[in-house]
Amino acid sequence: MSTVYLIRHGMTEANEKHLYCGSTDLPLSEAGIAALRELHYDIKSAVFLTSGMQRTEQTLALLFGSVPHRQEPRLREMDFGSFELRGYAELKNDPTYQDWITGDNERKVTPGGESGRQMQQRALEAFFELYPPAQDTVIVTHGGIISAIMAHLFPQEAKTRYQWQPAPGHGYAITQDHYGPIPKKA
């Protein structure tokens, strides 16, 4: 049985500053690079994919070296529109932001961006085109994408997308029967 590994990219400066960052193509931060160098996953042979953004390309290279891979843009993070690279402290008094974060922000579209549901729909379309895979597959993508996929695949867990979001550089190993942590080298 093959496995899909969903791995979140390493930390960026936007992550460190708690800023919304989806469509902005940022590189990893120095701390993000250092943290990824400490991770060693025991994945021998696989098909590799990234979202094509710098942070996912760098993460793939740091974790697995120079491996052949393809890019799937539908696995890019949610587009936060006018909230991109801004944080709560800056946005908290903005009525448009307050409207977005109150109520059903899964359905509400960010100004100039997309909703959580729109992001989830495009991510699931891409995911189900390759699932179940013929061989092990590693997808280096974004926290929002991973949590949207996990929430869809495992509704019995009753977790929100935010509860499914893995730490930078971490993620899930999924088979048709279950999910679990990514195996690490001893």
Side-chain angles (χ1 to χ4, degrees):
M1 179 180 297
S2 57
T3 302
V4 174
Y5 301 95
L6 296 173
I7 301 175
R8 184 180 178 189
H9 64 78
M11 194 175 311
T12 66
E13 187 177 333
N15 298 131
E16 293 168 0
K17 293 180 177 179
H18 305 285
L19 305 177
Y20 290 104
C21 181
S23 61
T24 304
D25 196 11
L26 294 180
L28 298 174
S29 67
E30 290 301 318
I33 291 169
L36 287 173
R37 286 187 173 138
E38 298 297 316
L39 296 175
H40 304 283
Y41 292 125
D42 190 20
I43 301 171
K44 308 246 185 296
S45 170
V47 171
F48 294 91
L49 288 94
T50 71
S51 73
M53 299 191 88
Q54 286 183 79
R55 53 196 184 265
T56 63
E57 292 288 316
Q58 289 177 300
T59 299
L60 177 70
L62 286 163
L63 292 177
F64 301 101
S66 180
V67 294
H69 68 283
R70 68 181 176 92
Q71 298 175 348
E72 176 48 73
R74 291 177 295 173
L75 295 173
R76 291 182 177 194
E77 185 60 276
M78 181 174 155
D79 183 347
F80 291 102
S82 65
F83 302 148
E84 278 285 318
L85 296 183
R86 299 168 73 193
Y88 179 78
E90 179 184 350
L91 292 167
K92 66 183 176 185
N93 295 320
D94 180 332
T96 307
Y97 176 74
Q98 284 301 317
D99 181 59
W100 177 65
I101 64 168
T102 55
D104 186 0
N105 68 356
E106 284 297 306
R107 291 191 190 328
K108 291 181 182 177
V109 177
T110 59
E114 65 185 333
S115 71
R117 295 266 193 230
Q118 290 170 325
M119 177 272 295
Q120 183 180 41
Q121 181 177 346
R122 71 173 157 76
L124 291 173
E125 285 174 7
F127 181 77
F128 283 116
E129 283 179 14
L130 57 90
Y131 191 83
Q135 66 187 90
D136 288 354
T137 302
V138 173
I139 302 172
V140 180
T141 187
H142 307 268
I145 296 294
I146 293 170
S147 52
I149 292 168
M150 294 300 289
H152 180 81
L153 291 177
F154 302 99
Q156 70 277 12
E157 296 286 328
K159 293 181 180 179
T160 67
R161 282 195 306 108
Y162 301 101
Q163 292 169 315
W164 278 113
Q165 194 165 95
H170 296 270
Y172 300 96
I174 305 168
T175 65
Q176 286 183 286
D177 298 328
H178 73 284
Y179 72 89
I182 301 168
K184 297 193 177 177
K185 289 183 184 175

